[in-house]
């Protein structure tokens, strides 16, 4: 043990002496120094020094990635078949000769009552997306009504200009209508004896002037389907004037964004302003003024529930009558439901509707040109019109429609004769003013009454015979009046039978009109303000028309009206023309410029 301790002490002492010794100094030659190395030339590698990949490398597939060839096998199974093709030739469908259409035409004619006729239409395409057209029509009939003390001459002149332009995103149309008509108040009352001096002093002529500027816009891809606007002016020979501003815009809104099975909803908006005046009232020297402003909204939605077709809609109007200081709001239904009891052949339908109509001097003269320029202008309010019926076709050759309706109408207009201011001898009143040409009981006024009506309408048509189409319609009305004694100059029954026949060279048509009995009002002579009701007999009017085509450009025509030469009265005291014949020539041609 002592031996081991001695050795450990000696080892510690030796290690301590070794640590106290200094490190030996290195030689100067062994110290590393920093120096600057100047590179005279740099190494520039070349493309040849790099390994280049071949443009078309060869790729060797392993055995596992080799493509295998596909093998197809068809298993043929015999199938029994009973089909045996029939041999034969195709049957041609006779479509007839295709009629060539021309851009322009001119028709001239002449009638047996010194009645010249002229009609022309000219069309020109300015470019591939624009078109200009003009239509002109003239008809004169020289004193055609027999046995009248006053002249019955009339003429109509009508000119229409229209221009259409197709732009990139929409199409627009602008046009002008100009019309001038002349008539005579020739229907003197038969219960008054007029002297020759009085008859010769009557100025029975009346003329109407109508000017209209209109426009239309149809966008290609828009909620707006189309927008229409028109400004028109109507006047006569007695300082009467009527100004109309009319516009409407039809919108279509898709509802499939809410549900894919929903259809589009249509909303029609309208704006209408009518203003006018008459120089004198019939029973006074004061003027008559009228002004109406009407705003309307009409939404419509159509859809089907299985086989039932449903239309839902409503009409709403806000109307202002500034002359009478009246403001009204109207709402009408516009509903129709249709169901095919025999699919593709018979449909039954029911519905309800109504509407507001602003009557105009111009529209009244279209129905009866023998009005006095002293009318009372009002709006007609059809509160409701409930209807139902059946319609359809058989073998796509025979079509029919039967309808019954019940309506409640406020301010329904009727034409009534004015009372004569002359007793047959005088041509001026006690105030010294000479009577106008319409103040001899030979003109009509408009009276209004609230009525309820039941109407039956039936229509049929048949075109199953080659080149021939025939049809008929009839309407029966039953009226319940509030104030008036009769539905003056309005028939309770009327109907028509018509037919057309056409071949490559010949064409012909026929119309047979029937109008039932009517009632007219005849006033006694002044100063009594009494009247009597007179019967206006029913009449049957037969008309024919036809022609022959020499070729595609030239043809002749012949029109025969009132073939039976019946001297009936359309309005009381106004007989119509007798037998009328007019023949002429039509020339169709391409544009000349």
């Amino acid at each position: 043990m002592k031996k081991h301790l001695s050795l450990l002490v000696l080892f510690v002492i030796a290690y301590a002496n070794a640590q106290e010794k200094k490190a030996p100094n290195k030689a100067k030659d062994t110290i590393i120094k920093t120096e600057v190395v100047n590179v005279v030339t740099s190494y520039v590698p070349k493309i040849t020094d790099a390994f280049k990949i071949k443009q078309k490398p060869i790729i060797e597939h392993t055995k596992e990635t080799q493509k295998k060839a596909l093998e197809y096998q068809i298993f043929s199974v015999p199938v029994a078949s009973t089909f045996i093709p029939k041999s034969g030739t195709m049957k041609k469908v006779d479509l007839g000769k295709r009629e060539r259409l021309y851009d322009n035409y001119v028709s001239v004619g002449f009638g047996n009552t010194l009645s010249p006729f002229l009609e022309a239409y000219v069309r020109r395409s300015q470019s591939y997306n624009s078109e200009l057209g003009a239509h002109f029509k003239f008809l004169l009939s020289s004193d055609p009504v027999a046995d009248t003390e006053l002249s019955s001459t009339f003429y109509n002149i009508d000119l229409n200009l229209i221009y259409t332009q197709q732009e990139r995103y929409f199409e627009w149309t602008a046009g002008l209508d100009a019309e001038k008509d002349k008539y005579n108040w020739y229907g003197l009352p038969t219960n008054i004896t007029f002297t020759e001096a009085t008859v010769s002093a009557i100025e029975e002529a009346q003329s109407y002037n109508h000017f209209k500027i209109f426009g239309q816009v149809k966008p290609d891809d828009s909620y707006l389907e189309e927008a229409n606007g028109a400004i028109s002016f109507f006047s006569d020979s007695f300082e009467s004037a009527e100004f109309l501003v009319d516009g409407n815009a039809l919108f279509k809104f898709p509802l499939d964004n809410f549900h894919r099975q929903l259809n589009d909803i249509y909303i029609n908006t309208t704006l209408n302003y009518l203003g006018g005046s008459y120089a004198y009232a019939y029973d006074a020297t004061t003027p008559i003024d009228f002004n109406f402003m009407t705003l309307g909204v009409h939404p419509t939605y159509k859809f089907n529930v299985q086989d039932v077709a449903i239309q839902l809609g409503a009409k709403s109007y806000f109307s202002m009558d500034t002359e009478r200081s009246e403001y009204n709001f109207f709402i009408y239904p516009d509903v129709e439901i249709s169901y095919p009891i025999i699919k593709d052949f018979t449909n039954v339908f029911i519905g309800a509707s109504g509407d507001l109509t602003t009557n105009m001097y111009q529209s009244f003269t279209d129905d009866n040109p023998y009005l006095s320029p002293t009318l009372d202008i009002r709006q007609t309010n059809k509160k409701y019109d409930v209807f139902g019926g059946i319609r359809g076709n058989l073998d796509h050759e025979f079509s029919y429609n039967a309808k019954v309706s019940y309506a409640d109408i406020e301010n329904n207009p009727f034409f009534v004769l004015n009372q004569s201011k002359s007793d047959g001898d005088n041509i001026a009143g006690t105030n010294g003013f000479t009577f106008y040409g319409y103040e001899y009981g030979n003109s009509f006024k408009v009276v209004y009454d609230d009525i309820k009506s039941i109407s039956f309408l039936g229509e049929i048509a048949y075109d199953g015979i080659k080149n021939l189409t025939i049809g008929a319609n009839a309407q029966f009305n039953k009226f319940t009046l509030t104030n008036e004694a009769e539905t003056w100059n309005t028939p309770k029954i009327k109907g028509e039978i018509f037919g057309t026949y056409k071949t490559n060279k010949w064409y012909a048509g026929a119309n047979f009109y029937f109008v039932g009995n009517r009632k007219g009002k005849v006033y006694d002579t002044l100063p009594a303000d009494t009247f009597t009701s007179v019967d206006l007999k029913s009449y049957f009017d037969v008309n024919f028309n036809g022609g022959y085509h020499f070729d595609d450009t030239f043809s002749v025509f012949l029109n025969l009206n009132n073939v039976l030469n019946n001297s009936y009265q359309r309005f009381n005291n106004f007989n119509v023309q007798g037998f009328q014949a007019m023949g002429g020539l039509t020339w169709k041609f391409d544009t000349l410029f």
Side-chain angles (χ1 to χ4, degrees):
M1 183 67 182
K2 292 180 179 180
K3 184 179 179 179
H4 290 90
L5 290 173
S6 299
L7 290 176
L8 178 60
V9 170
L10 291 176
F11 175 77
V12 170
I13 294 171
Y15 180 78
N17 291 333
Q19 292 296 325
E20 290 179 356
K21 291 182 180 180
K22 296 181 179 179
N25 295 330
K26 293 183 179 182
K28 293 182 179 180
D29 296 336
T30 61
I31 299 174
I32 298 175
K33 298 179 179 180
T34 59
E35 294 183 1
V36 177
V37 179
N38 295 326
V39 178
V40 178
T41 59
S42 61
Y43 171 70
V44 179
K46 297 180 181 180
I47 298 178
T48 55
D49 297 333
F51 173 74
K52 292 189 293 184
I53 300 176
K54 294 181 180 180
Q55 293 182 355
K56 295 182 179 180
I58 299 174
I59 302 175
E60 296 181 358
H61 294 280
T62 62
K63 185 177 181 180
E64 288 77 9
T65 59
Q66 291 289 338
K67 293 183 178 180
K68 294 182 179 180
L70 297 177
E71 296 180 358
Y72 298 92
Q73 293 182 354
I74 300 175
F75 298 92
S76 179
V77 179
V79 178
S81 176
T82 58
F83 173 73
I84 301 175
K86 294 182 179 180
S87 61
T89 59
M90 295 179 60
K91 294 184 178 181
K92 297 177 62 178
V93 179
D94 185 10
L95 300 177
K97 183 180 178 181
R98 184 176 181 179
E99 183 179 359
R100 181 179 176 183
L101 302 179
Y102 291 87
D103 292 338
N104 316 284
Y105 73 88
V106 174
S107 294
V108 292
F110 195 81
N112 61 330
T113 57
L114 298 178
S115 301
F117 168 77
L118 172 63
E119 184 176 9
Y121 178 77
V122 179
R123 173 184 172 272
R124 181 180 181 184
S125 296
Q126 302 293 103
S127 61
Y128 71 94
N129 59 355
S130 65
E131 180 179 324
L132 177 64
H135 176 258
F136 176 79
K137 186 176 182 179
F138 171 77
L139 174 64
L140 168 66
S141 187
S142 179
D143 204 11
V145 181
D147 302 326
T148 58
E149 297 182 281
L150 300 177
S151 174
S152 59
T153 299
F154 73 91
Y155 67 77
N156 307 115
I157 303 175
D158 192 7
L159 174 64
N160 306 105
L161 301 175
I162 188 170
Y163 179 79
T164 301
Q165 176 73 40
Q166 179 68 52
E167 303 291 350
R168 183 175 181 180
Y169 299 110
F170 63 93
E171 176 184 337
W172 63 272
T173 301
L176 168 68
D177 289 344
E179 185 176 354
K180 185 176 181 62
D181 303 315
K182 179 182 180 298
Y183 294 93
N184 288 304
W185 292 295
Y186 62 88
L188 290 175
T190 56
N191 61 329
I192 301 176
T193 302
F194 292 91
T195 63
E196 293 184 4
T198 302
V199 172
S200 61
I202 298 175
E203 299 290 342
E204 70 272 25
Q206 167 69 303
S207 63
Y208 301 111
N209 308 292
H210 184 214
F211 299 94
K212 178 181 178 181
I213 300 175
F214 63 90
Q216 183 185 71
V217 177
K218 289 185 177 181
D220 292 337
D221 187 11
S222 173
Y223 293 124
L224 177 64
E225 284 286 285
E226 66 177 61
N228 300 274
I231 299 175
S232 60
F233 180 76
F234 184 78
S235 63
D236 64 11
S237 300
F238 292 85
E239 301 179 6
S240 303
E242 186 177 71
F243 182 73
L244 174 66
V245 178
D246 189 20
N248 73 284
L250 177 62
F251 297 90
K252 181 181 73 172
F253 296 99
L255 300 181
D256 53 2
N257 294 329
F258 302 97
H259 194 281
R260 60 185 179 87
Q261 293 184 348
L262 293 178
N263 298 325
D264 299 335
I265 184 172
Y266 290 86
I267 300 178
N268 187 34
T269 60
T270 59
L271 170 64
N272 181 282
Y273 170 76
L274 177 68
S277 63
Y278 302 106
Y280 304 100
Y282 193 83
D283 53 359
T285 58
T286 57
I288 301 176
D289 298 323
F290 54 92
N291 289 278
F292 297 94
M293 172 72 78
T294 306
L295 304 175
V297 178
H298 179 198
T300 304
Y301 181 75
K302 297 180 181 180
F303 63 99
N304 293 336
V305 178
Q306 294 183 352
D307 292 334
V308 180
I310 302 175
Q311 172 185 301
L312 299 178
K315 299 178 183 179
S316 59
Y317 297 96
F318 176 70
S319 178
M320 297 179 289
D321 184 352
T322 57
E323 291 298 324
R324 296 183 176 90
S325 299
E326 295 180 359
Y327 305 90
N328 296 289
F329 185 74
F330 304 92
I331 297 180
Y332 307 97
D334 186 18
V335 180
E336 182 175 335
I337 302 174
S338 175
Y339 176 73
I341 56 177
I342 302 178
K343 194 171 183 180
D344 298 330
F345 291 100
T346 303
N347 291 269
V348 294
F349 62 93
I350 59 173
S353 65
D355 208 352
L356 179 69
T357 303
T358 302
N359 296 302
M360 300 186 298
Y361 184 30
Q362 185 262 334
S363 60
F364 280 145
T365 58
D366 289 340
D367 297 332
N368 185 353
Y370 311 110
L371 298 173
S372 64
T374 58
L375 303 184
D376 179 18
I377 301 297
R378 300 183 186 180
Q379 290 180 313
T380 297
N381 175 21
K382 182 181 284 188
K383 297 180 180 179
Y384 59 83
D385 184 4
V386 182
F387 58 88
I390 184 171
R391 61 191 171 208
N393 56 71
L394 299 176
D395 296 330
H396 303 286
E397 296 176 350
F398 179 82
S399 59
Y400 59 91
N401 178 32
K403 178 181 177 182
V404 58
S405 62
Y406 176 78
D408 187 354
I409 306 174
E410 182 181 10
N411 289 335
N412 189 84
F414 298 102
F415 297 126
V416 176
L417 273 177
N418 285 309
Q419 186 175 14
S420 175
K421 293 185 178 182
S422 172
D423 58 3
D425 294 327
N426 59 329
I427 60 174
T430 56
N431 55 6
F433 289 100
T434 303
F435 298 138
Y436 291 109
Y438 57 83
E439 295 182 323
Y440 292 86
N442 54 342
S443 65
F444 290 86
K445 62 181 177 180
V446 176
V447 297
Y448 299 89
D449 196 11
D450 300 338
I451 67 171
K452 291 179 174 62
S453 67
I454 300 177
S455 299
F456 300 90
L457 172 66
E459 298 174 306
I460 57 173
Y462 179 74
D463 57 357
I465 302 176
K466 184 179 179 181
N467 301 326
L468 177 65
T469 300
I470 56 176
N473 61 70
Q475 183 175 357
F476 173 77
N477 302 310
K478 178 178 176 56
F479 301 101
T480 301
L481 305 175
T482 302
N483 299 315
E484 296 294 326
E486 300 287 348
T487 57
W488 310 112
N489 290 283
T490 301
K492 295 181 179 180
I493 184 173
K494 59 182 179 180
E496 176 189 5
I497 301 175
F498 60 88
T500 59
Y501 179 77
K502 183 179 181 181
T503 64
N504 293 336
K505 292 292 185 179
W506 295 94
Y507 68 92
N511 294 88
F512 306 92
Y513 297 100
F514 174 78
V515 176
N517 296 327
R518 291 141 294 140
K519 289 289 187 177
K521 181 185 291 189
V522 175
Y523 283 94
D524 297 330
T525 58
L526 289 173
D529 189 17
T530 58
F531 67 90
T532 56
S533 297
V534 296
D535 292 326
L536 304 179
K537 295 182 179 180
S538 61
Y539 62 87
F540 193 69
D541 198 335
V542 179
N543 305 283
F544 297 102
N545 65 84
Y548 178 79
H549 298 287
F550 293 103
D551 52 31
D552 290 337
T553 58
F554 286 97
S555 62
V556 293
F557 65 88
L558 176 64
N559 297 332
L560 304 177
N561 296 325
N562 197 1
V563 175
L564 301 180
N565 197 28
N566 291 329
S567 182
Y568 60 86
Q569 293 184 6
R570 182 183 176 189
F571 304 103
N572 56 316
N573 291 345
F574 282 81
N575 293 335
V576 300
Q577 302 181 47
F579 172 72
Q580 307 153 52
M582 175 178 288
L585 173 69
T586 299
W587 174 42
K588 295 178 288 186
F589 56 94
D590 290 324
T591 182
L592 299 178
F593 51 88

